Amino acid sequence: MSLAFILVVFSVLQAAEYRDGELFIEVLLCSGQKISIAAASGNAEVCFSEVDLPITRILQTPLNVSLDNPATLLNWGYLERVEPWHEDSDGHLRESFQWQDSALMIHRENLVFASQSFADKASAIAWTKANGKSEKQITALPMQSPTVCVSDRSGNKTYLETPLHFTSAQDLQLAGVKLGFSGEFILKIVGSNLVVTHFLPLDEYVAGVVPNEIGAGAPLEALKAQAVAARTHAVGLLLNNRHKNDGYDLCNTTHCQVYKGKYQQNATVRDAVFSTQNQILILPNRIADTTYHSACGGKTDSSGNIWGGETLPHLVGVECFADAASLDFKKESDVRTWISDFALYQGGASWENSALSWNTQISSQQLAKNLGLSKLDHLVINRRGNSGRIIDITFYGNKTVRLNSEYKIRQAFGNTKSSFFYIKGSYVEDDQGRVVIYPGGTLSLYGRGSGHGVGMCQIGALRMAREGRGHHEILTHYYPGTQIWENWMEYGTR
Ligand SMILES: [Zn+2]
Ligand SMILES: [Zn+2]
């Protein structure tokens, strides 16, 4: 058993802050045992500076960063108490976000650990037992100040203490990912991994998200609507504090939002983001949930229908196409009329048209297999949402399988674009309006829309923008009852 009695100096875990009137956040770029830093083209100068020392080093790419001596890392500690953070706190800063009086506050706490720390959890547990302390207070130490080794092309090694800031005016490729990032970065150790984050203003982050969500070629007002939705979503994610213990504020994947830096950013994207700077959508006492999807196919759905629970007041579902107003998509006959008889707007890009109207086939055998059935006899559509999406369906075969998740229904039918479809052929409606279908060997599905159908319909936003509507009108159409709010940055840190 190895007990280590070494005093560890803790540093800032997270560095979100209000600086010059902007909220700066840390967005994960990569993590691993070793991280390569290369210039996107040619060579780049990277300027490194240790947080606690006023020394900077300028190194030329390509560079490789690795942990100096991973075996000596002390990753486990005993949390003695959590107290308010003061400027002269010498413990461990942990940040979280809170919504207070229609403003985003950065809440800072000081985590005070016992001076002992441990290389493995078993040693930490043994120590708590020997000292009559609770195991529950053992926690992974997200960051210490171990040294990393930065080696250049010639094999010259520079040893630097983490957390480490580095900057580059040129685009860098990190960990071999073919995307370029410039500006300010933070390199830190979380657990036993190196983590590199992009430290940047929220709006620069939003500009790196918008093109992945709606396409950089979208009209300005649609891009502006998407920018406000993505910014609101980002602030909502910060308030969830889901990466509170990971050493960054947001990750760069679909778990949060896909962030690709300057990739596909253009002048229109930047205009959309910076002309709506700070704009988010709120409801009384809370930030709006600005979920969105590719194409509703006629009407959007309610959050309750699609995800269960109580429907949020601004996500009740709205009409997207005026022609759909007179139809009731909870009824099979109206769904069939809409999908087979109404031509939808065909003025958009090909991806828009294929999201609006589609058809596909699946064999009865494959459908049965997807459901874990050896044989499918018939199926019953119990309920559709107001967008026409099937949200409750029962399959009868050698056993009975009932699905009441729009997502699982799409999966079962072979990963369809949406669950707003009908199955070609005859059907019978029972006295409670349930639709009974005995499928043949192959089911032909005719559908509309792509995605879950809740919140803003991106193709609808594109259409509204092309018709000359502004981003405010687009947003309040899809998120009724919300208002645009710009004064949520109170520069509050407590
Ligand atoms: Zn995430
Ligand atoms: Zn729509």
Side-chain angles (χ1 to χ4, degrees):
M1 190 192 324
S2 66
L3 289 188
F5 292 89
I6 297 169
L7 184 67
V8 177
V9 178
F10 297 104
S11 298
V12 175
L13 169 62
Q14 239 150 301
E17 65 180 45
Y18 286 113
R19 188 200 278 183
D20 305 326
E22 285 186 288
L23 174 66
F24 276 66
I25 57 169
E26 276 190 68
V27 180
L28 174 70
L29 292 179
C30 60
S31 69
Q33 295 286 306
K34 287 191 165 102
I35 288 170
S36 61
I37 302 175
S41 65
N43 286 331
E45 281 190 345
V46 184
C47 181
F48 290 87
S49 56
E50 294 176 356
V51 169
D52 300 325
L53 293 168
I55 298 168
T56 58
R57 298 283 189 100
I58 293 171
L59 302 174
Q60 295 282 335
T61 59
L63 298 165
N64 277 298
V65 186
S66 57
L67 273 163
D68 179 32
N69 196 351
T72 62
L73 274 184
L74 299 169
N75 291 319
W76 298 90
Y78 180 82
L79 180 62
E80 292 209 311
R81 62 185 186 278
V82 178
E83 58 187 29
W85 176 263
H86 299 292
E87 278 307 312
D88 53 357
S89 291
D90 57 359
H92 180 107
L93 172 65
R94 180 173 67 184
E95 287 183 345
S96 56
F97 296 92
Q98 292 176 351
W99 191 247
Q100 198 182 323
D101 301 327
S102 302
L104 183 79
M105 306 289 290
I106 301 174
H107 180 57
R108 292 189 166 160
E109 294 166 312
N110 186 30
L111 308 189
V112 181
F113 288 89
S115 57
Q116 292 82 358
S117 58
F118 309 92
D120 55 75
K121 199 173 182 180
S123 307
I125 290 170
W127 179 83
T128 56
K129 282 192 177 139
N131 289 277
K133 293 176 185 283
S134 165
E135 277 182 35
K136 285 183 187 155
Q137 295 297 100
I138 295 172
T139 173
L141 297 175
M143 187 188 291
Q144 304 163 38
S145 43
T147 305
V148 289
C149 173
V150 184
S151 49
D152 69 10
R153 189 202 298 269
S154 319
N156 298 319
K157 290 177 163 49
T158 306
Y159 294 88
L160 296 162
E161 234 176 51
T162 59
L164 199 56
H165 277 248
F166 64 95
T167 58
S168 169
Q170 272 176 270
D171 278 358
L172 299 179
Q173 290 184 346
L174 299 158
V177 179
K178 301 279 177 220
L179 288 169
F181 300 94
S182 60
E184 192 171 347
F185 307 84
I186 298 172
L187 192 154
K188 57 177 78 174
I189 315 288
V190 180
S192 54
N193 266 332
L194 294 167
V195 168
V196 176
T197 64
H198 209 184
F199 186 61
L200 76 177
L202 179 68
D203 282 300
E204 286 293 342
Y205 163 78
V206 172
V209 168
V210 165
N212 314 315
E213 298 295 349
I214 200 166
L220 179 63
E221 292 301 320
L223 285 167
K224 283 160 80 173
Q226 182 66 59
V228 175
R231 185 183 295 110
T232 307
H233 190 56
V235 175
L237 290 169
L238 294 179
L239 286 164
N240 284 342
N241 291 306
R242 51 163 78 167
H243 290 299
K244 184 175 177 176
N245 295 315
D246 298 338
Y248 45 87
D249 300 306
L250 299 173
C251 74
N252 57 344
T253 71
T254 52
H255 176 261
C256 286
Q257 293 188 105
V258 175
Y259 169 68
K260 293 187 176 177
K262 294 204 190 78
Y263 179 69
Q264 291 193 336
Q265 271 190 38
N266 59 29
T268 320
V269 167
R270 295 189 68 79
D271 185 12
V273 172
F274 291 96
S275 65
T276 62
Q277 195 158 22
N278 297 352
Q279 292 183 2
I280 62 170
L281 290 182
I282 61 163
L283 296 155
N285 303 320
R286 59 163 289 178
I287 187 161
D289 179 337
T290 52
T291 185
Y292 47 86
H293 61 279
S294 295
C296 67
K299 301 178 186 186
T300 67
D301 221 310
S302 77
S303 60
N305 278 341
I306 301 299
W307 295 309
E310 209 171 310
T311 291
L312 295 168
H314 65 298
L315 298 177
V316 288
V318 298
E319 271 137 28
C320 186
F321 283 86
D323 289 345
S326 59
L327 297 169
D328 178 357
F329 290 161
K330 293 185 169 175
K331 286 192 195 148
E332 186 73 13
S333 55
D334 280 14
V335 166
R336 290 182 182 232
T337 300
W338 174 250
I339 294 177
S340 53
D341 296 355
F342 281 80
L344 293 192
Y345 175 75
Q346 300 288 313
S350 59
W351 73 268
E352 295 176 50
N353 293 328
S354 63
L356 281 174
S357 276
W358 49 266
N359 60 75
T360 184
Q361 293 189 329
I362 185 168
S363 69
S364 179
Q365 212 176 6
Q366 184 62 49
L367 177 59
K369 196 178 162 202
N370 293 350
L371 293 159
L373 299 175
S374 57
K375 167 185 176 298
L376 176 66
D377 181 58
H378 69 286
L379 58 89
V380 177
I381 299 169
N382 302 307
R383 201 157 82 88
R384 289 179 184 269
N386 30 311
S387 73
R389 280 163 175 74
I390 301 169
I391 53 173
D392 188 350
I393 186 168
T394 310
F395 301 88
Y396 296 88
N398 56 313
K399 57 183 180 178
T400 303
V401 175
R402 185 169 179 176
L403 298 180
N404 47 22
S405 136
E406 167 267 353
Y407 179 72
K408 284 186 181 154
I409 293 166
R410 278 156 64 183
Q411 298 297 98
F413 280 94
N415 202 10
T416 54
K417 288 180 179 170
S418 80
S419 67
F420 182 23
F421 60 80
Y422 73 86
I423 300 162
K424 197 180 174 189
S426 59
Y427 67 96
V428 180
E429 227 161 1
D430 73 9
D431 51 6
Q432 290 169 55
R434 289 181 298 215
V435 173
V436 183
I437 294 172
Y438 286 81
T442 301
L443 292 80
S444 290
L445 314 180
Y446 287 80
R448 291 227 149 136
S450 179
H452 53 63
V454 182
M456 185 171 72
C457 165
Q458 290 172 310
I459 285 180
L462 291 169
R463 192 185 64 246
M464 286 180 77
R466 289 181 188 123
E467 289 167 3
R469 320 277 195 93
H471 80 286
H472 195 175
E473 196 182 345
I474 296 170
L475 291 165
T476 50
H477 177 74
Y478 291 106
Y479 305 114
T482 58
Q483 73 175 94
I484 288 184
W485 180 242
E486 296 182 11
N487 303 319
W488 54 273
M489 292 203 264
E490 292 295 312
Y491 317 128
T493 307
R494 321 181 276 116

